[in-house]
Amino acid sequence: MPFVKSFFLFLAALLPMASLAQQRPAPATAPKGQRIELLPGTRELIGGTFNGVEIRKLIGNVSFKQENTFLYCDSAYQYLDRNAIEAFSNVRIVDNDTVTITGDRGTYDGDTRKARMTGNVTMRDPRMTLTTQVLDYDLSKNLAYYSTGGHLVDPENTLDSQYGYYNTTSKVFSFKRNVHLVTKENDITTDTLQYNTLSKVAYFFGPTRIKGKQGNIYAENGTYNTVTKVSNFQRNAKIETPSYLLGGDKLVYDEVKQYGVATGHVSMTSKKDNIVLRGDVGRYWRARGRTKVYGSSPVMRNISDGDTLYLAADTLVSVEGRAPKNTAGILYAYPKVKIFRKDLQGRCDSLTYDRQNSIIYLNKRPVLWTDNNQLTADSMELRQSKGKIDQMRLYANSFIVGQDTLLNFNQVKGRNMLAYFVDSKLKKVNVLGNAESLYFALEGDTALTGMNKAVSANMTLRFADSKLQTISYLTNADASFIPPHELKQSDKQLKDFSWRPKERPTRRLVLGKHFALPGKAKPKPKLKPKAKTKTTTIKPKTVKRAGSPRPVTPARPAAVTPPRPRAK
């Protein structure tokens, strides 16, 4: 919010005018003031009594004086019995040689020292000019007030408002209704603007919009300290830049440090790639283009081609992209990362999302689930294309586990793996280095016919509808088939086997309190109870469980079926 200097100078310029406060009615027994003195030079003076009131009619070069205040006009009525003047045409009031007020018509009460100017009113001091149609001015208390719309101008700023006043007791300027302040760097609109000349703090009430060269600020209540240059906005506060929108229930921004803190329902939106971060606390470093969101497991939402990726962690950090390397930016998540999308769920300790090329790097014991398959490794990469999973790369201690309809665990492990997807469905996996596989052969998804076990330098697995179709052993294959009656419990698991279904994140767990569940159905209205009727008990049908990947007999290199070992 870089409008401090010009805004401060503008407000400071208003001090000499001692202006803008609502006129208060004079007490019934107001003390008599100094008599208004008619100065020499009036061309014509007509005295008389009209309707029982003694009046002087003054015409031509009329001028009056009371203490340090002078009044000039083309003609006037002077009411002698109540020490008052009614002035007409080219009316001008000069107070202490600093404030000058002009208008078409004016009235002045010498006892209360209150003036009212109407018609093309202009108020000037050495630094600013106010124009309005009606202005009330209390010279004894240095109070002024307008209610018909005013326009203030100084060498650097302009301000328009429907109402304006200044109270010298509280030392507060106030502008109300349709307030519009234009400085060299900002365009500010608000409902009410107050400025305390002692504390040098500006107060905003109602919806306030500050449009600047470096970004915009919106809030519905707040303060701005013109000395420390710190703003404190509340009620739906937002900072908006060409690339990002940061908001919260409360927003504190330090213009000197270019640093802001948002608290309560914090939301950061990246306009370039439709990414939204939500949490309890957000910190923004404008110069570094860095936003940090934390508190109550903040969540990232990324919508792409109809697919939505949700990502939660204890802390989310977004770094704005900078040309030429990465114009989209990078997102960091740590620790306790949870991932959810309809075709993929996962966990890891830390994560890096390069939004330029849509690659997600998962570190420290990552685990991913896709359909019935569980994938683990020391680290992973998720590569996306057009918002869908394109490749998955597993580095070191790679392991894939899937459970079939008989609750057997089909397993593949190796040094590294490269998985390919089509329409987010697993199609092929290349196992690179120290490949091992263990798959159970089923008959009709209901009967076990044996177990395929193989070791090879490299393997290729092909899937259809996420179910394994073929395995090709590419180098130095050693395959065997174990019939059911020879299977031992120790044969059913590869080394380092781990099945972790309880850790699989749900949509509700990842979204937490920051996002509503997508497509959440409204509760159905309660129906009136029907009349009791005779019921017939129907035995539930046995529901067959969905089938799982059915492995085929391992093949030799070039996918040639090996001879089946004989049972001992």
Side-chain angles (χ1 to χ4, degrees), residues 449 481-487 564-568:
T449 62
F481 182 85
I482 304 174
H485 65 276
E486 295 184 10
L487 277 174
R564 178 175 173 177
R566 296 181 180 179
K568 294 181 180 178

PDB file of all heavy atoms in Angstrom, residues 449 481-487 564-568:
ATOM      1  N   THR A 449      -4.692 -71.207  -8.060  1.00  0.00           N
ATOM      2  CA  THR A 449      -4.062 -72.297  -8.822  1.00  0.00           C
ATOM      3  C   THR A 449      -2.565 -72.352  -8.602  1.00  0.00           C
ATOM      4  O   THR A 449      -1.917 -73.302  -9.054  1.00  0.00           O
ATOM      5  CB  THR A 449      -4.353 -72.128 -10.324  1.00  0.00           C
ATOM      6  OG1 THR A 449      -3.784 -70.888 -10.772  1.00  0.00           O
ATOM      7  CG2 THR A 449      -5.854 -72.126 -10.594  1.00  0.00           C
ATOM      8  N   PHE A 481       7.013 -71.615 -10.658  1.00  0.00           N
ATOM      9  CA  PHE A 481       5.590 -71.630 -10.313  1.00  0.00           C
ATOM     10  C   PHE A 481       5.399 -72.599  -9.159  1.00  0.00           C
ATOM     11  O   PHE A 481       5.798 -73.772  -9.231  1.00  0.00           O
ATOM     12  CB  PHE A 481       4.760 -72.072 -11.515  1.00  0.00           C
ATOM     13  CG  PHE A 481       3.284 -72.074 -11.251  1.00  0.00           C
ATOM     14  CD1 PHE A 481       2.534 -70.922 -11.394  1.00  0.00           C
ATOM     15  CD2 PHE A 481       2.647 -73.239 -10.838  1.00  0.00           C
ATOM     16  CE1 PHE A 481       1.170 -70.920 -11.151  1.00  0.00           C
ATOM     17  CE2 PHE A 481       1.287 -73.244 -10.581  1.00  0.00           C
ATOM     18  CZ  PHE A 481       0.547 -72.079 -10.742  1.00  0.00           C
ATOM     19  N   ILE A 482       4.788 -72.130  -8.085  1.00  0.00           N
ATOM     20  CA  ILE A 482       4.599 -72.943  -6.889  1.00  0.00           C
ATOM     21  C   ILE A 482       3.117 -73.283  -6.765  1.00  0.00           C
ATOM     22  O   ILE A 482       2.277 -72.370  -6.653  1.00  0.00           O
ATOM     23  CB  ILE A 482       5.088 -72.212  -5.630  1.00  0.00           C
ATOM     24  CG1 ILE A 482       6.553 -71.790  -5.789  1.00  0.00           C
ATOM     25  CG2 ILE A 482       4.910 -73.072  -4.393  1.00  0.00           C
ATOM     26  CD1 ILE A 482       7.068 -70.949  -4.650  1.00  0.00           C
ATOM     27  N   PRO A 483       2.743 -74.562  -6.806  1.00  0.00           N
ATOM     28  CA  PRO A 483       1.332 -74.941  -6.666  1.00  0.00           C
ATOM     29  C   PRO A 483       0.847 -74.670  -5.243  1.00  0.00           C
ATOM     30  O   PRO A 483       1.641 -74.537  -4.309  1.00  0.00           O
ATOM     31  CB  PRO A 483       1.334 -76.428  -6.983  1.00  0.00           C
ATOM     32  CG  PRO A 483       2.715 -76.883  -6.708  1.00  0.00           C
ATOM     33  CD  PRO A 483       3.619 -75.724  -7.010  1.00  0.00           C
ATOM     34  N   PRO A 484      -0.479 -74.593  -5.058  1.00  0.00           N
ATOM     35  CA  PRO A 484      -1.031 -74.219  -3.751  1.00  0.00           C
ATOM     36  C   PRO A 484      -0.570 -75.112  -2.608  1.00  0.00           C
ATOM     37  O   PRO A 484      -0.294 -74.611  -1.514  1.00  0.00           O
ATOM     38  CB  PRO A 484      -2.535 -74.338  -3.969  1.00  0.00           C
ATOM     39  CG  PRO A 484      -2.725 -74.159  -5.436  1.00  0.00           C
ATOM     40  CD  PRO A 484      -1.524 -74.770  -6.087  1.00  0.00           C
ATOM     41  N   HIS A 485      -0.475 -76.426  -2.840  1.00  0.00           N
ATOM     42  CA  HIS A 485      -0.165 -77.321  -1.715  1.00  0.00           C
ATOM     43  C   HIS A 485       1.297 -77.204  -1.279  1.00  0.00           C
ATOM     44  O   HIS A 485       1.667 -77.706  -0.216  1.00  0.00           O
ATOM     45  CB  HIS A 485      -0.491 -78.776  -2.083  1.00  0.00           C
ATOM     46  CG  HIS A 485       0.360 -79.316  -3.183  1.00  0.00           C
ATOM     47  ND1 HIS A 485       0.061 -79.098  -4.516  1.00  0.00           N
ATOM     48  CD2 HIS A 485       1.498 -80.061  -3.157  1.00  0.00           C
ATOM     49  CE1 HIS A 485       0.979 -79.688  -5.271  1.00  0.00           C
ATOM     50  NE2 HIS A 485       1.867 -80.287  -4.457  1.00  0.00           N
ATOM     51  N   GLU A 486       2.152 -76.554  -2.095  1.00  0.00           N
ATOM     52  CA  GLU A 486       3.545 -76.385  -1.711  1.00  0.00           C
ATOM     53  C   GLU A 486       3.841 -74.991  -1.138  1.00  0.00           C
ATOM     54  O   GLU A 486       4.966 -74.723  -0.714  1.00  0.00           O
ATOM     55  CB  GLU A 486       4.454 -76.629  -2.925  1.00  0.00           C
ATOM     56  CG  GLU A 486       4.411 -78.040  -3.444  1.00  0.00           C
ATOM     57  CD  GLU A 486       5.382 -78.256  -4.582  1.00  0.00           C
ATOM     58  OE1 GLU A 486       6.213 -77.341  -4.813  1.00  0.00           O
ATOM     59  OE2 GLU A 486       5.333 -79.307  -5.234  1.00  0.00           O
ATOM     60  N   LEU A 487       2.835 -74.123  -1.164  1.00  0.00           N
ATOM     61  CA  LEU A 487       3.044 -72.746  -0.697  1.00  0.00           C
ATOM     62  C   LEU A 487       3.229 -72.698   0.816  1.00  0.00           C
ATOM     63  O   LEU A 487       2.451 -73.297   1.573  1.00  0.00           O
ATOM     64  CB  LEU A 487       1.861 -71.854  -1.071  1.00  0.00           C
ATOM     65  CG  LEU A 487       1.864 -71.272  -2.490  1.00  0.00           C
ATOM     66  CD1 LEU A 487       0.567 -70.526  -2.754  1.00  0.00           C
ATOM     67  CD2 LEU A 487       3.053 -70.337  -2.665  1.00  0.00           C
ATOM     68  N   ARG A 564       6.525 -75.085 -16.994  1.00  0.00           N
ATOM     69  CA  ARG A 564       6.048 -75.055 -15.612  1.00  0.00           C
ATOM     70  C   ARG A 564       6.792 -76.078 -14.779  1.00  0.00           C
ATOM     71  O   ARG A 564       6.850 -77.267 -15.130  1.00  0.00           O
ATOM     72  CB  ARG A 564       4.551 -75.354 -15.590  1.00  0.00           C
ATOM     73  CG  ARG A 564       3.956 -75.403 -14.197  1.00  0.00           C
ATOM     74  CD  ARG A 564       2.464 -75.583 -14.284  1.00  0.00           C
ATOM     75  NE  ARG A 564       1.890 -75.789 -12.968  1.00  0.00           N
ATOM     76  CZ  ARG A 564       0.583 -75.922 -12.741  1.00  0.00           C
ATOM     77  NH1 ARG A 564      -0.250 -75.862 -13.753  1.00  0.00           N
ATOM     78  NH2 ARG A 564       0.136 -76.119 -11.517  1.00  0.00           N
ATOM     79  N   PRO A 565       7.396 -75.676 -13.662  1.00  0.00           N
ATOM     80  CA  PRO A 565       8.136 -76.632 -12.826  1.00  0.00           C
ATOM     81  C   PRO A 565       7.215 -77.713 -12.281  1.00  0.00           C
ATOM     82  O   PRO A 565       6.048 -77.454 -11.957  1.00  0.00           O
ATOM     83  CB  PRO A 565       8.694 -75.758 -11.698  1.00  0.00           C
ATOM     84  CG  PRO A 565       8.567 -74.366 -12.185  1.00  0.00           C
ATOM     85  CD  PRO A 565       7.430 -74.350 -13.137  1.00  0.00           C
ATOM     86  N   ARG A 566       7.737 -78.931 -12.217  1.00  0.00           N
ATOM     87  CA  ARG A 566       6.951 -80.036 -11.674  1.00  0.00           C
ATOM     88  C   ARG A 566       6.944 -80.002 -10.143  1.00  0.00           C
ATOM     89  O   ARG A 566       7.924 -79.615  -9.516  1.00  0.00           O
ATOM     90  CB  ARG A 566       7.521 -81.369 -12.133  1.00  0.00           C
ATOM     91  CG  ARG A 566       7.430 -81.569 -13.642  1.00  0.00           C
ATOM     92  CD  ARG A 566       7.988 -82.934 -14.007  1.00  0.00           C
ATOM     93  NE  ARG A 566       7.914 -83.128 -15.443  1.00  0.00           N
ATOM     94  CZ  ARG A 566       8.352 -84.251 -16.043  1.00  0.00           C
ATOM     95  NH1 ARG A 566       8.906 -85.209 -15.290  1.00  0.00           N
ATOM     96  NH2 ARG A 566       8.250 -84.389 -17.357  1.00  0.00           N
ATOM     97  N   ALA A 567       5.849 -80.465  -9.623  1.00  0.00           N
ATOM     98  CA  ALA A 567       5.755 -80.562  -8.165  1.00  0.00           C
ATOM     99  C   ALA A 567       6.584 -81.716  -7.666  1.00  0.00           C
ATOM    100  O   ALA A 567       6.648 -82.767  -8.303  1.00  0.00           O
ATOM    101  CB  ALA A 567       4.299 -80.758  -7.743  1.00  0.00           C
ATOM    102  N   LYS A 568       7.245 -81.499  -6.527  1.00  0.00           N
ATOM    103  CA  LYS A 568       8.059 -82.554  -5.935  1.00  0.00           C
ATOM    104  C   LYS A 568       7.167 -83.576  -5.250  1.00  0.00           C
ATOM    105  O   LYS A 568       6.175 -83.208  -4.645  1.00  0.00           O
ATOM    106  CB  LYS A 568       9.045 -81.945  -4.925  1.00  0.00           C
ATOM    107  CG  LYS A 568      10.070 -81.047  -5.571  1.00  0.00           C
ATOM    108  CD  LYS A 568      11.014 -80.498  -4.513  1.00  0.00           C
ATOM    109  CE  LYS A 568      12.050 -79.582  -5.147  1.00  0.00           C
ATOM    110  NZ  LYS A 568      12.969 -78.997  -4.137  1.00  0.00           N
TER     111      LYS A 568
END
